Every structure is written in C-alpha cells, then in structure tokens.
Amino acid sequence: MSDLAAITQKITAAVGENSGLGKIVKLDFGDDGKILINAANVPNVVSNEDGAADTTVVVSIDNLKALAQGQLDPMMAFMQGKLKIIGDMGIAQKLVPLLKG
C-alpha cells in the first residue's frame, strides 16, 4: 500500500461519518497526490480527488508523518514553511487532532 493510500485510510477512519469540521479541506502533497475531506455534508467523504476546498493544507507526506507522530510541531512547521495553509486557519487547526496517531 502506498503512503497516500495508507494516510487516506487513516484519515477516513479518523473522520468517520461526521468529523464536525463542517467544511471541505484539502491536503495537497504536490506530486504525491491529494486528499479531499468533504465534511460539508454528512456523511463526510474522504477521497483522493482534487477539488475546491474551504482550506488547503500544503505539506509533504514526510512532514505530515512527522506531524502525526509528534516529531514536528504544527506551528514550527508553519513558521519554517514546511506547512502552508491556504484559506481558513481555524479549520486547519481543527484538522490536527484527526492527523494524530
């Protein structure tokens, strides 16, 4: 299983039917793919499609793994340019607990 497939599966399980995000969030891994979390409707849908999002988080898969394992602090990653947020910063902050573990 590819990293993208494994991460997509983990996020799908974490999001469940209703994550409470209430918005559409995209994780953009550049050439490694994308994960679109559509939490605007219930049940929430997680896919690897590209589409419009309220918030886009641009990050490498390696940095996402480091964030999920607690080896990289989200605020430090943001300040160092390892993590970019396009759109609503508040939505991105709600996403962090879903990525842990």
Side-chain angles (χ1 to χ4, degrees):
M1 181 183 303
S2 73
D3 282 346
L4 181 65
I7 293 167
T8 303
Q9 205 169 48
K10 187 179 280 189
I11 289 176
T12 301
V15 165
E17 244 185 61
N18 187 1
S19 63
L21 287 171
K23 301 280 183 180
I24 300 172
V25 182
K26 179 168 36 179
L27 296 173
D28 186 343
F29 305 116
D31 292 341
D32 291 323
K34 293 172 181 40
I35 298 175
L36 194 64
I37 304 166
N38 185 341
N41 300 308
V42 177
N44 294 179
V45 176
V46 178
S47 71
N48 294 118
E49 294 174 19
D50 195 0
D54 297 296
T55 301
T56 300
V57 178
V58 181
V59 64
S60 71
I61 285 183
D62 287 342
N63 283 336
L64 182 74
K65 284 183 188 174
L67 285 164
Q69 294 165 358
Q71 298 166 344
L72 182 61
D73 177 69
M75 203 40 89
M76 288 302 297
F78 181 75
M79 308 251 284
Q80 294 169 347
K82 295 178 179 178
L83 174 76
K84 292 187 180 111
I85 298 168
I86 303 162
D88 188 336
M89 179 80 82
I91 299 296
Q93 289 172 326
K94 288 182 185 176
L95 189 64
V96 171
L98 297 176
L99 303 176
K100 297 269 184 211

